[in-house]
Amino acid sequence: MSILDDARALAESGPLCDACLGRVFADKSFGLTNAERGRSLRVAAALDADEPFEPVETTDCWVCEGRCAEFDEWAERCAESIDGVEFGTYQVGTRTPPLIEENELLLREGAGLDEDAGELFKSEFNREVGKRVGQLTETEVDFSRPDVQFTLNLEDDDVETRVHSAFVYGRYRKLERDIPQTEWPCRECDGSGYQGKQTCDYCGGSGYLYDESVEQLSAPVVLDVMDGVEALFHGAGREDVDALMLGTGRPFVIEVKEPRRRSIDVEQLEGDINAFAEGKVEVEGLRLATYDMVERVKELDANKTYRAEVEFGDDVTEEALEEALAELDGATVEQYTPHRVDHRRASLTRTRDVYSATGELHDARHATVDIHGAGGLYIKELVSGDEGRTNPSLAGILGVDAVVTALDVVAVEGEEETFEDEEFFKQGE
């Protein structure tokens, strides 16, 4: 059969609008809408048979039940649902009523055509409404991770609008000790501030073990600037609460849920955060990032450089320290789960490499030691030996007790590639 014969067979099924007729032939020719295809076929069939041309009103169509006349209306509803929200990309999806899906199948079966001939009603609705949304909002469609997702529920006559999160990447330095990276709820009252009806004695009613965190000194500023509903802090690992984070800082991402603003001045934001943190925390290198940057920050293998102030239980000579550090330099270390974290870590032996170890003896009982090692290397235990759980250790090699009295992290870098890959940033921002 010819394409005109197929078109006639389809048209004989009942009142069929141009879009539903043309949609069956969506894979034929280019540069036409389905409605234009359908009308052209209807005209050509009438001319070929020398019969009167009989147009069909879209509202009378038995397949789409008039839905193909509603593209403009649904696009306007999408635009209205996002009024006041700043976005650059979007995607449109459609929940097709089961009756229309069944009608589409019956249409093709009745004409003896494959059930998947052309394209589905859902695909056309997405495209036609999507084109109009882009024109109304001056934004671009994005089929991967758009700023906004519109879902058109035709059966319930509803537009579901989802504003996806925005992401800000940077590095932070923590300049005071006893500040955790993220909020640390009190374990005694589960963060409520109360034990029964009484104020929690353990946290003083604050609900937190620490009054401030890197998260609390940065995320609220980003949340306010982007006008979102919630901000989440994602860090590339974390330093101990009593350790400083210095040098080039630790990579992090702040995720803002349902932001109303996305085009922000990151340099101004950086200054705002640093002013808000009052010298306790500093951030730098802020950039708008993609959704995938969260996983990168959390999962990219990283090495770290530490500076530890060490106190020995007996006198140590400069020569002995140099020899001990030379033995650790390049060593593969086995560490059974340390005592201090065994309440939250699985009990197992981890193998980590020390890339370099250097140090300076200040007096017979005190030294500064610099360790560059693989991610997950427990530095305090590398120094102390942790009662034999870490081997080799500085204490074990020297044959004296050794304890870290102050610890600073001075660098966190990707093991094989940098965190700051341009692929993970919003381009041109």
Side-chain angles (χ1 to χ4, degrees), residues 264-277:
I264 61 172
D265 184 335
V266 290
E267 291 185 5
Q268 179 65 49
L269 177 61
E270 189 172 301
D272 290 345
I273 292 174
N274 291 338
F276 181 72

Side-chain angles (χ1 to χ4, degrees), residues 14-18 42 53-61:
L16 188 66
C17 72
D18 291 341
R42 204 184 302 275
F53 173 69
E54 298 181 357
V56 175
E57 293 292 332
T58 303
T59 52
D60 296 330
C61 180

Side-chain angles (χ1 to χ4, degrees), residues 208-252:
Y208 297 99
L209 291 182
Y210 296 88
D211 294 333
E212 296 175 313
S213 65
V214 176
E215 177 182 23
Q216 290 165 299
L217 293 170
S218 58
V221 181
V222 182
L223 179 64
D224 180 62
V225 168
M226 303 191 90
D227 195 11
V229 299
E230 184 182 6
L232 303 177
F233 190 99
H234 308 281
R238 64 177 67 216
E239 65 282 344
D240 291 342
V241 172
D242 61 353
L244 299 182
M245 180 66 241
L246 304 174
T248 56
R250 184 181 297 275
F252 71 93

Side-chain angles (χ1 to χ4, degrees), residues 291-304:
Y291 166 79
D292 296 320
M293 182 56 92
V294 172
E295 181 178 1
R296 184 172 182 81
V297 161
K298 287 181 171 292
E299 302 296 334
L300 186 68
D301 289 338
N303 59 72
K304 303 174 180 70

